[in-house]
Amino acid sequence: MTDGADTPSLVCLIALPLAGAVAAFLWPRRAPAVGLGVAGLLWIPVLGLLIRLVSQGEQQYELGGWAVPLGIALRADGLSVFLVLMVTLVGGAVSGYATGYFGGVCWGSSFSSLPPAEDGEDGRDGGQAHERAGFWPLWLFLWAALNALLLSRDLFNLYVTLELLGLSAVALVALADAPVALGAAMRYLLVSLLGSLAFLLGVALVYAGYGTLDLPMLKAALGGPVAPVGPVALGLMTAGLLMKTALFPLHFWLPPAHANAPAPVSALLSALVVKASFYLLLRLWFEVFAGVATSGAMRFLGVLGAVAVLWGSYQALRQPRLKLLVAYSTVAQLGYLFLLFPLSSAAAGGFTAWAGGLYFVLAHACAKAVMFLSAGSLMRAAGHDRLADLGRRCARCR
Amino acid sequence: MTATTLYALAGIALFGLGLHALIVRAHLVARILALNVMGAGVFMFLIAVAARNETPDPVPHALVLTGIVVAVSATALALVLALRVQAVRGRAGLAEEESPDA
Amino acid sequence: MIPALDILLIVALLWLARQALVARDLFKGVVLFIAFGLLLALAWVRLRAPDIALAEAAIGSGLTGALFLSTLGRLRRMEREAGQAEPPPEDGRRGGWTGGFLTAAGTVLVTALLGWAVWALPAGAPGLGDAVQARLGESGVSHRVTAVLLNFRAYDTLLEVGVLLVAIVAVWAVARADFPFVTRNAEAGSVPPQQTALVNLLVPVMLVVAGYLLWIGATAPGGAFQAGAVLGGAGVLLLLSRPHWAVLPERRWMRTGLAAGLLVFLGVGLALVIAGRRLLEYPAGWAGALILLIEAAVTLSIGLTLTLLFLGGRPAAGDPAPTMTHTNQQP
């Protein structure tokens, strides 16, 4: 493991979007430019980190110069950097789309002459300035939170990143100021806060039992005598993260929230935000608590995933609206991710399961982002997203 | 049993009380209140843990101070959202029909 | 042997929490919650956590309580404007008797499991207290909680200041300010003069207290959070006594003031990175001064954030788009 004090790419990955968020808040008119600038500049530390990871192995950065467990360390291993790359890729693409979407210039003036959505279901009827006002600072805060979460190895720090992530995600959903979207945002917020509190109590139990918040140190401490506090803390944190990842049957909040948000937000939530809590589950179950997690529990998560695949797909087929269909497909795809738990612990094929699982995470992030962005453009063109009428309306647009 | 253990258990009890109210209450303000009580329970547990030592452990204290500020931020956002929900639908509750597969 | 005072305190806390959560009258529930918060501050004193007691009394009970009360006031007003004489009855939750029983049983089971894990905590008290004590001399402050918050775990605090800014951006994006005390019949002048006089007396005192708390945080319980909370309290009092301030247009300084904490915090951190150190690795001898600088900016931002959060939305005028939001609209 190398300490990255001389190349602060780890810090830049978090500080850059954070500084961008403040700038976007201070100069709202320049916010889209700030957003695009951050999206472009972030490639420098990302690629720098990738090169160092390949040449020197795992990277570590002790914040404030304090060694763990007193201080907080950032760490980057293959899994973290893979996901950071994914966030930079998808985040950059969505940022580009968002400049047009919220600016209302890129898709031709012909659309603006179309009548607004008659039922206001999509919440985009004249609320554009409102959406634009909050989008850029909130999205940049969300980006900083994603990177911070992927690089942190400190349990309490992870809680703070989860809250930063959750609050900005909820606010982004609420930008679509329609009644359905507000209800969905409220439900999302309650679930998100409950999940965070469960996670925080788990963190508190860990500190009470093992006296550390650092994940590698906790892993070492868990090798000692077994106390009930270990499994119970893992259970609490898992319950909180499952709510945020929307694994069946805790998925109820996801379809309304993802389907009613503005299109770029739907893309970010489905492609990236749910993956963050899933990543944390992987980190906890396979790395830190590997000795505590039983194969029975892994199988249980796998079964829930399998049910999610069936239920999500069935519901997706029944939806009358395009964005709801796409959102339910996310529920199903998240189910596939949880098949990783039983598969990777199987004696043979553990590596294949991991490779397949991570490839699936990336594929879903790209596909689902594009799916929601396309749905957003279709909705702009047609003024609604009812599947039954979309074909006719779009034929007229041509 | 020591006083700190009792406080730690009381913290867990507060968490449970809040959890129950969060599930059974329908009014959004009551549910946000329930989340605050749950948070207070977690904080009480952490401070009780800190008080096990001769001189209290400052790390949980710092964590709780951070937690209190996060809690008030979340509460402020939740209450404003609740008001918007009331404004657009005439009542501060979430309808069951919003979950399309429920 | 557990002191009777602690047992009494815990029983009272659990009873108050229970009563606050089951109260059908939300106003009663909120008042009980505020009492619960004040008693909680007492519990923190018993647990030798004076820093938390200060923050709890100011933020946890005071400002959170004020937020709840102002929200209830606005809800009632909306209901009146919609022609509802009384608050509508709360919707019944699903499931009926069996559902209620299952929920209760499930919660009791979860709580019992958690309680068992706490009960069976291994003997001994692992923690970082000794590690903090060992490096306290290098932290630039002599109060241990401040050393953890602003030095050892300063990165947590940096992100947390970010959470505060997210909250205000989110609240501004969701709603336009709709101050409960500015209504058509209660205009600016209707605040009793005694109240204004009292606030005029209190606010300077609170400013001095905030400054003192900020300064003393280096050596004793206090610091940016407590000072910011007192500042926020002063802001709320000013808003209550001068309702016309609540409808002032958004000004440049508001955004600057709200962002100042994060800006200075991040700026100091990054300046140190450019100087060849790590993020927030203060040079020897400079730690105390830099911590005070950061804390001063954070105090200002916390105070302003809490005040504007109490306003419950984006300041009234001064935004270019007429389509922003419409809090007053009824369906």
Side-chain angles (χ1 to χ4, degrees), chain A residues 295-310:
Chain A
S295 64
M298 298 247 189
R299 217 165 293 145
F300 177 66
L301 287 180
V303 168
L304 289 184
V307 178
V309 171
L310 296 173

Side-chain angles (χ1 to χ4, degrees), chain A residues 2 7 9-10 13 43-59 76-78 81-82 84-85:
Chain A
T2 333
T7 48
S9 30
L10 281 172
L13 282 173
W43 281 104
I44 301 171
V46 169
L47 293 178
L49 183 62
L50 186 64
I51 291 167
R52 282 179 79 95
L53 180 80
V54 171
S55 61
Q56 302 169 348
E58 223 171 281
Q59 298 288 309
D77 59 3
V81 176
F82 174 78
V84 166
L85 262 170

Side-chain angles (χ1 to χ4, degrees), chain C residues 24-25 31 41 50 54 60 68 71 79 89 107 187 192 197 211 214 226 233 265 295 316 326:
Chain C
R24 288 289 130 181
D25 178 5
V31 170
L54 277 171
F68 272 110
T71 304
E79 282 157 8
T107 323
E187 289 297 347
L214 172 65
Q226 293 85 350
F265 212 145
E295 280 203 295
H326 13 71

